[in-house]
């Protein structure tokens, strides 16, 4: 069975472009965006890893570390890194795991045989500081991911961890939020500003 939300993200050791790591030690105390790409020296992947490098400051603001994986060798990753830097406008600044024996990719169910070959699809795992899997995404090889959406979802997860709220469709940071259904409307009135009761179970409030 694949990994589910709420599961502990499995630990592993692996060789990366920044040396050998133990995953849990490497991310200790941080959130992680752990994502797979099909292959080095391919166009969509180059844009994705370049974008991730360019977003380093945004990830740092949110206490997030990024790490990528593919079934290529660490020598290939090092050979490809200058292209990532050139395309993203920033040197490669996060580790890429070399997984030629597919140990990590299989552990995280990132190889989907129906997708044509034995390389990884575009999986994303957002993992919290307690190593719990909080979000998964799976994109096909031909479609690059939206890294603004990855940042948005991290913002939503961090906001909903900090307060009894949820985020509505298309929410963006700064938008109003929804009071948790577990609170009575009286509690919502006491706790939040500018409460709008659209339905007894749908109470929009200002983000705390
Ligand atoms: C790409 O990164 O462009 C790519 C990789 C594998 C299959 C399709 C596209």
């Amino acid at each position: 069975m694949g990994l589910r939300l709420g599961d502990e993200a499995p630990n592993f050791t692996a060789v990366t472009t920044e040396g050998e790591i133990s995953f849990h030690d490497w991310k200790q105390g941080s959130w992680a965006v752990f994502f797979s790409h099909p292959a080095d020296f391919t166009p969509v992947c180059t844009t994705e890893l370049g974008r991730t490098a360019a977003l380093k400051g945004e990830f740092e603001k949110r206490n997030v570390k990024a790490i990528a994986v593919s079934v290529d060798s660490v020598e290939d990753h090092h050979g490809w890194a200058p292209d990532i830097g050139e395309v993203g406008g920033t040197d490669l600044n996060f580790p890429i795991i070399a997984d030629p024996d597919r140990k990590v990719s299989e552990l995280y169910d990132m190889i989907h045989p129906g997708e044509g070959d034995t390389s990884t699809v575009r999986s994303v795992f957002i993992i919290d500081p307690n190593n719990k899997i909080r979000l998964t995404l799976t994109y096909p090889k031909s479609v690059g991911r939206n890294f603004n959406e990855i940042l948005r979802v991290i913002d939503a997860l961090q906001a909903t961890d900090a307060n009894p709220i949820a985020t509505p469709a298309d929410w963006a940071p700064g938008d109003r939020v929804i009071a948790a259904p577990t609170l009575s409307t009286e509690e919502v009135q006491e706790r939040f500003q500018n409460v709008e009761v659209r339905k007894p179970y749908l109470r929009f409030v200002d983000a705390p």
Side-chain angles (χ1 to χ4, degrees), residues 38 42-45 122 141:
T42 53
V44 176
C45 301
R122 299 186 194 280
K141 293 176 184 176

Side-chain angles (χ1 to χ4, degrees), residues 143-158:
V143 179
R145 286 158 284 201
N146 183 332
F147 286 80
N148 293 327
E149 169 62 4
I150 290 172
L151 289 175
R152 187 196 74 93
V153 120
I154 292 166
D155 286 336
L157 287 167
Q158 294 183 348

Side-chain angles (χ1 to χ4, degrees), residues 154-184:
I154 292 166
D155 286 336
L157 287 167
Q158 294 183 348
T160 57
D161 281 358
N163 286 288
I165 57 168
T167 56
D170 298 333
W171 176 86
D175 288 355
R176 279 157 61 76
V177 297
I178 295 169
T182 47
L183 298 177
S184 68

Side-chain angles (χ1 to χ4, degrees), residues 26-27 29-35 47-68 84 88 90-95 123-129 135 137 145-158:
W26 170 82
K27 72 174 284 301
S30 298
W31 291 73
V33 173
F34 176 33
F35 66 106
T47 64
E48 289 191 322
L49 274 74
R51 176 78 175 131
T52 304
L55 287 173
K56 187 178 178 71
E58 294 300 321
F59 286 129
E60 279 177 354
K61 271 190 227 165
R62 295 163 174 84
N63 186 31
V64 178
K65 293 170 96 171
I67 186 164
I84 295 168
T90 313
D91 284 350
L92 179 67
N93 51 27
F94 60 91
S123 301
V124 182
F125 289 83
I126 296 180
I127 302 165
D128 74 14
L135 179 127
L137 286 170
R145 286 158 284 201
N146 183 332
F147 286 80
N148 293 327
E149 169 62 4
I150 290 172
L151 289 175
R152 187 196 74 93
V153 120
I154 292 166
D155 286 336
L157 287 167
Q158 294 183 348

Side-chain angles (χ1 to χ4, degrees), residues 2-3 5 13 19 23 25 34 43 50 58 61 76 87-88 117-118 127 131 147 159 164 168 174 185-186 201 203-204:
L3 295 170
L5 302 191
T13 55
F23 183 55
D25 290 345
F34 176 33
E58 294 300 321
K61 271 190 227 165
D76 278 352
V87 169
D117 61 23
T118 50
I127 302 165
N131 296 331
F147 286 80
T185 296
E186 209 170 53
Y201 54 84
R203 288 85 45 99
F204 283 96

